[in-house]
Amino acid sequence: MADGATFEVEALGQVVGGRIEPTDDFWGGTRAIVRLDGSRFTADATKGLEEFSHLEIVFRFHLTDPTDLNLGARRPRDNPEWPEVGIFGHRNMRRPNWLGVSRCRLLKVDGLDLHVEDLDAVDGTPVLDVKPWFGEMGPRGEQHQAEWTTVMLRDYFAPEAGD
């Protein structure tokens, strides 16, 4: 293993629209655009993408306070009723490399603008990669997860109140 190896990653584009602040819940129905960098890409870069219903977006949690990082265990959402979980048992923005992965619905491809729904990244978020979702790449075999995650994420993709 290459301890301390570093890699330079350049944003491919950014999120435009949608939410302006990260929140814990109610991302359902949130619409935004993943705008790819027109100085690097042409519309050929998105050719064929409209054939897919969902995308995986890899992005950088750019609003995270780098001093708010605990590499050990802590309670999800600081809820005393949930167990302490190590940093790799979380999917939140307080991560060592501040990377997020989101699966969202692709609504429309308009040149280098990818119109999406249920992307849990905010306006201005740097996008590091875009991948079409292939069903065959999803989990194989039986799935299970900690009970607290089901409780915690009950309203994650619920529509925002008033929507």
Side-chain angles (χ1 to χ4, degrees):
M1 181 163 91
D3 289 333
T6 60
F7 301 90
E8 190 171 311
V9 178
E10 190 174 345
L12 308 176
Q14 70 176 12
V15 175
V16 176
R19 297 245 180 116
I20 58 171
E21 307 184 353
T23 59
D24 285 335
D25 290 310
F26 305 110
W27 288 92
T30 300
R31 291 190 175 193
I33 296 171
V34 173
R35 180 163 290 151
L36 299 173
D37 183 353
S39 68
R40 294 178 56 201
F41 303 103
T42 68
D44 279 352
T46 62
K47 188 173 182 161
L49 206 54
E50 70 280 351
E51 297 294 320
F52 296 90
S53 64
H54 291 78
L55 301 175
E56 281 187 307
I57 306 296
V58 180
F59 58 91
R60 170 100 178 179
F61 286 116
H62 70 297
L63 299 178
T64 302
D65 177 357
T67 65
D68 186 22
L69 186 61
N70 176 351
L71 298 180
R74 63 177 188 76
R75 296 182 190 284
R77 295 190 183 176
D78 298 320
N79 186 328
E81 295 182 16
W82 294 333
E84 285 191 341
V85 179
I87 191 155
F88 298 116
H90 293 265
R91 290 186 55 96
N92 65 29
M93 62 187 167
R94 295 151 90 184
R95 311 206 52 76
N97 288 314
W98 302 286
L99 295 179
V101 177
S102 185
R103 287 166 195 87
C104 58
R105 181 177 309 281
L106 176 62
L107 302 173
K108 177 173 90 169
V109 177
D110 181 16
L112 295 176
D113 283 354
L114 309 176
H115 295 254
V116 297
E117 184 174 74
D118 298 342
L119 174 65
D120 54 349
V122 299
D123 183 58
T125 297
V127 173
L128 306 178
D129 205 355
V130 174
K131 298 173 185 249
W133 175 256
F134 295 175
E136 294 79 6
M137 300 303 286
R140 290 163 298 290
E142 187 176 334
Q143 300 173 46
H144 63 275
Q145 64 188 38
E147 184 179 338
W148 63 265
T149 62
T150 301
V151 174
M152 179 180 73
L153 297 174
R154 174 182 51 230
D155 292 326
Y156 195 81
F157 282 111
E160 193 167 13
D163 284 356

